[in-house]
Amino acid sequence: MKVTTRFNPKLFELMRGYSRERFIKDVGAGLTVSVVALPLAMAFAIASGLPPQSGLFTAIIAGFLISLFSGSRVQIGGPAGAFIVIVYGIVEQYGVGGLLLATFMSGVMLWLMGFLRMGVLIKFIPVSVIIGFTNGIAVLIALSQIKDFFGLQIEGKVPAEFFALVKTLWQALPTWNGAALAVSLLSLAIIVIWQAVMKRKVLLPDEAGLLPRVSGSLALIPGSIVALVAATLLVAVLQWDVDTIGSRFGGIPQGLPEFTVPAFGWAEMKGLFLPAMTLAVLGAIESLLCARVADSMIRDKHDSNQELLAQGFANMVVPFFGGMPATGTIARTVTNIKNGGNSPVAGMVHALALLLVVLVAAPLAQYIPLPALSAILMFVAWNMGEWREFVRLRTFRMPYRISLLLVFVLTVVVDLTVAVEVGIFFACFIFIYRISSLTTAERFALPQEILATNGVAAYKLTGAIFFGAVKLIDDMLADMPAKALVLDFSSVIYIDSSGEESLEELLEAYHEKNIPVLVYGLRQQPWDLLQRTGWLKRLGQENVLQHAGELENRLAALD
């Protein structure tokens, strides 16, 4: 018998029989992923209102810890684009100290979700809600990058609120910088064309068309790095006047991050509870969706609870080193898989490679132009959104359309937290309505072989007797038979406490009239609940029948 524990990282399982060949593949995959993660980590941090080193330190520390304790073989953790809007709002309202505390709180929540084995509950969030806020986040990321993409001159911080953001961008539009726009468009074109060319490596020579096939080694280089290098060289050679990491942030410190203790206080924690909860829920969704995608690619099964434990622990640690929220990232995980990564060692190598870059090549980062990073994020935003779902909306039913569009609009215009809350509430309301509509109490005629049927009413109950469907009892109270009431529970799959109270009311009303109630066909859950609450005892053991065949004898006894 296999014993399951609450703490069971995949790394510990896979180390048995770990070979030199697998290690070489993991090292190669980890180095490739680090090249992909380098520009994204800096871009996500800058877009979130943080210095670029915050993203790098998060990719290093959280990336290492997530891989070390992950419940997935190939999950790569780090800063994610989905957090940009939330993090920016927290930094604007509560400052960097508030973000560190919120990140720590979200880590505790994630850890508790994993410890309490709540990983499976995340899967119950409706697809329409996930697509709605994912597309909404993509739009907000693109809007947040317009300033650097066009080189707009805006004094002070760009507001996070949608209408204020649009107004600020519109007013600053005349200040656009031609050099910055040229760098942005060039970077975006390089990324798009590079991705299109790299796909040719999987085609046969006669299928490649005008574009040539690409060798495997060249295809390992991501387009974002090519664009970043090209844009940096272009700006340096032509001496264009565009913002760079050095001009805005003074570069990236060369060395290990300093230990920082977030300011803990009840007032701060109370105000940051909802933002921290949003970070935790979004992080859980992102990481578990990423793990499911990875499972389908490597034909493995991840441990969702262990993954939440890993995410929680990583987010509890990174705030002490000035980091930002982290989660599993689909783009880096897929890159890891496609380049031969087959164990958490690849993710740990990716983190160590980024650490080496910070220790050795950090001074070079000051020359990176910000318009190039904004172009990378524009590309990320486009790929993040599931835009085809808007086209396919007409093929879905009205509740799905309303839910998706409602969450999308609220995410863009109001707030992500509100959007998720309203979306889940609306989805639950629709679910309750549909389930209650499937719960019925239909009157049926008793078989001819059952004697003495005059004055006997029989109902077949179907579905779930819960708080949303308790009104089905009303017909049985309004039209009482003279001799007995027969209830067929064979199609009842669930009864909750509200349903039991309605049945209790029904029983009391019939007992006052001295009319017996006969039930049969009880399944396990309804039987357990009615037995535990004493309803069956009050009903009378002689009135609890196993099947319809016992009705004849019982009705005869009543005569």
Side-chain angles (χ1 to χ4, degrees):
M1 178 179 177
K2 184 179 179 180
V3 179
T4 59
T5 60
R6 290 186 184 272
F7 189 76
N8 188 30
K10 280 284 186 178
L11 179 65
F12 299 166
E13 295 180 9
L14 298 173
M15 283 300 98
R16 293 189 294 269
Y18 190 71
S19 63
R20 179 174 176 271
E21 290 75 14
R22 291 180 65 186
F23 176 73
I24 294 174
K25 287 184 177 181
D26 284 336
V27 170
L31 293 176
T32 304
V33 174
S34 68
V35 177
V36 176
L38 180 64
L40 291 179
M42 292 189 292
F44 291 153
I46 294 172
S48 302
L50 300 170
Q53 61 265 28
S54 295
L56 289 174
F57 293 154
T58 301
I60 294 168
I61 299 171
F64 188 88
L65 294 175
I66 288 174
S67 294
L68 180 63
F69 301 118
S70 179
S72 169
R73 285 172 51 188
V74 292
Q75 179 95 289
I76 302 293
F83 286 135
I84 290 176
V85 180
I86 310 172
V87 172
Y88 188 89
I90 295 175
V91 172
E92 185 184 50
Q93 186 172 357
Y94 299 98
V96 176
L99 173 65
L100 299 181
L101 180 56
T103 303
F104 178 83
M105 293 170 62
S106 70
V108 174
M109 295 175 186
L110 282 165
W111 190 87
L112 288 174
M113 288 181 193
F115 182 78
L116 298 175
R117 300 187 175 276
M118 296 173 61
V120 67
L121 298 180
I122 303 298
K123 300 176 183 178
F124 294 145
I125 296 179
V127 174
S128 59
V129 175
I130 294 175
I131 293 175
F133 76 66
T134 300
N135 287 5
I137 290 172
V139 170
L140 290 176
I141 291 175
L143 280 174
S144 70
Q145 295 310 300
I146 290 179
K147 174 180 178 290
D148 287 330
F149 195 90
F150 288 89
L152 304 181
Q153 301 300 314
I154 300 176
E155 295 183 3
K157 278 195 170 184
V158 179
E161 197 269 328
F162 173 75
F163 293 107
L165 171 61
V166 173
K167 180 181 179 182
T168 301
L169 293 174
W170 178 258
Q171 291 175 344
L173 199 57
T175 66
W176 67 282
N177 184 333
L181 181 59
V183 173
S184 300
L185 293 176
L186 175 65
S187 302
L188 190 59
I190 290 175
I191 296 172
V192 173
I193 294 173
W194 188 268
Q195 185 187 48
V197 171
M198 288 309 105
K199 287 182 179 180
R200 297 290 169 170
K201 70 172 185 173
V202 300
L203 298 177
L204 297 174
D206 56 345
E207 297 174 339
L210 297 177
L211 296 174
R213 290 183 71 242
V214 181
S215 64
S217 58
L218 185 60
L220 295 178
I221 304 175
S224 57
I225 286 291
V226 178
L228 212 59
V229 172
T232 303
L233 292 175
L234 181 67
V235 171
V237 171
L238 299 181
Q239 296 293 308
W240 280 353
D241 182 21
V242 299
D243 287 341
T244 62
I245 288 180
S247 65
R248 183 174 297 182
F249 302 101
I252 295 176
Q254 188 175 13
L256 298 175
E258 295 182 359
F259 185 80
T260 306
V261 179
F264 289 87
W266 172 246
E268 292 83 0
M269 294 176 66
K270 184 178 179 181
L272 288 167
F273 180 80
L274 280 180
M277 177 64 75
T278 304
L279 289 174
V281 173
L282 185 55
I285 294 172
E286 282 280 310
S287 62
L288 296 184
L289 282 178
C290 178
R292 286 173 59 185
V293 171
D295 286 349
S296 65
M297 296 180 68
I298 62 175
R299 296 185 180 180
D300 191 35
K301 186 171 180 61
H302 73 279
D303 183 340
S304 58
N305 296 311
Q306 179 61 40
E307 187 61 36
L308 292 179
L309 288 172
Q311 303 288 339
F313 186 65
N315 281 281
M316 290 164 63
V317 173
V318 289
F320 292 97
F321 298 95
M324 59 188 292
T327 185
T329 56
I330 293 179
R332 277 157 273 179
T333 298
V334 171
T335 301
N336 181 34
I337 296 171
K338 289 186 176 180
N339 288 280
N342 53 66
S343 81
V345 172
M348 298 162 68
V349 170
H350 129 270
L352 295 175
L354 288 176
L355 176 61
L356 185 63
V357 170
V358 171
L359 295 177
V360 176
L364 298 177
Q366 64 179 315
Y367 302 109
I368 296 176
L370 295 181
L373 292 177
S374 69
I376 292 173
L377 284 182
M378 285 287 191
F379 187 73
V380 169
W382 174 256
N383 286 322
M384 177 187 294
E386 298 186 42
W387 313 113
R388 292 180 180 177
E389 290 298 315
F390 289 131
V391 180
R392 296 177 58 225
L393 275 180
R394 62 177 179 271
T395 64
F396 293 100
R397 298 182 64 182
M398 187 58 67
Y400 181 92
R401 301 181 200 174
I402 295 175
S403 177
L404 192 153
L405 293 175
L406 184 64
V407 174
F408 172 75
V409 172
L410 289 176
T411 299
V412 174
V413 176
V414 184
D415 179 69
L416 178 63
T417 306
V418 175
V420 173
E421 291 173 351
V422 171
I424 293 178
F425 173 80
F426 181 78
C428 291
F429 178 80
I430 295 299
F431 175 78
I432 292 170
Y433 172 77
R434 286 180 175 175
I435 294 299
S436 63
S437 65
L438 296 175
T439 303
T440 59
E442 297 179 349
R443 194 159 182 168
F444 69 97
L446 293 171
Q448 292 293 329
E449 59 269 18
I450 296 181
L451 304 177
T453 57
N454 292 330
V456 177
Y459 289 87
K460 182 179 178 61
L461 305 181
T462 304
I465 304 177
F466 69 117
F467 65 90
V470 294
K471 288 189 175 294
L472 61 85
I473 306 295
D474 293 348
D475 291 341
M476 305 177 204
L477 291 172
D479 186 16
M480 289 187 179
K483 183 181 293 185
L485 173 68
V486 177
L487 299 179
D488 177 3
F489 276 85
S490 60
S491 296
V492 175
I493 57 175
Y494 176 77
I495 300 177
D496 73 350
S497 57
S498 298
E500 190 276 334
E501 288 183 5
S502 297
L503 292 174
E504 186 70 41
E505 179 185 349
L506 176 76
L507 188 62
E508 290 179 359
Y510 273 72
H511 279 184
E512 288 179 0
K513 300 289 186 178
N514 291 321
I515 302 173
V517 178
L518 314 180
V519 302
Y520 67 89
L522 282 168
R523 297 190 180 193
Q524 188 63 44
Q525 192 279 335
W527 176 282
D528 290 341
L529 179 72
L530 297 179
Q531 180 74 24
R532 202 166 56 246
T533 57
W535 191 85
L536 292 180
K537 182 179 180 180
R538 290 185 289 277
L539 180 69
Q541 191 62 40
E542 68 279 5
N543 294 328
V544 182
L545 312 175
Q546 296 298 321
H547 48 79
E550 299 180 1
L551 274 176
E552 181 178 352
N553 294 334
R554 181 58 186 142
L555 290 174
L558 291 178
D559 287 338

